[in-house]
Amino acid sequence: MARKRVSVTRESDTGRNQTFHDNYSGADMTRSQFVRQIESGNYSNYHVRAINGIKTPVSNPDSTTNNNLG
């Protein structure tokens, strides 16, 4: 089974994902950095949603769990 492209490395007390790790490139990113990367087209299996007014990275809905954040 393929490993997840991106993993969450830190959550806030409320459960909002705050930092992320790209398991392929080794890059660590904050939420805002990951949002910018998604918006630039660098992570095609993810998109950005405004949740409570905050841009939040989420995986695209599909039948696989390999790209789920968590």
Side-chain angles (χ1 to χ4, degrees):
M1 180 161 97
R3 63 184 170 159
K4 292 181 181 183
R5 170 78 191 261
V6 177
S7 298
V8 176
T9 55
R10 190 174 82 220
E11 291 182 358
S12 69
D13 291 338
T14 62
R16 182 177 299 278
N17 298 335
Q18 294 183 316
T19 60
F20 303 84
H21 179 76
D22 183 323
N23 295 306
Y24 292 6
S25 72
D28 291 313
M29 300 171 277
T30 65
R31 181 189 45 76
S32 60
Q33 288 170 325
F34 190 27
V35 164
R36 281 194 301 275
Q37 290 294 315
I38 294 168
E39 291 176 335
S40 295
N42 296 326
Y43 289 88
S44 60
N45 291 324
Y46 301 89
H47 65 280
V48 177
R49 280 193 195 152
I51 300 176
N52 296 325
I54 299 171
K55 287 186 173 185
T56 304
V58 295
S59 58
N60 292 343
D62 57 24
S63 61
T64 182
T65 59
N66 288 340
N67 62 357
N68 292 349
L69 294 172

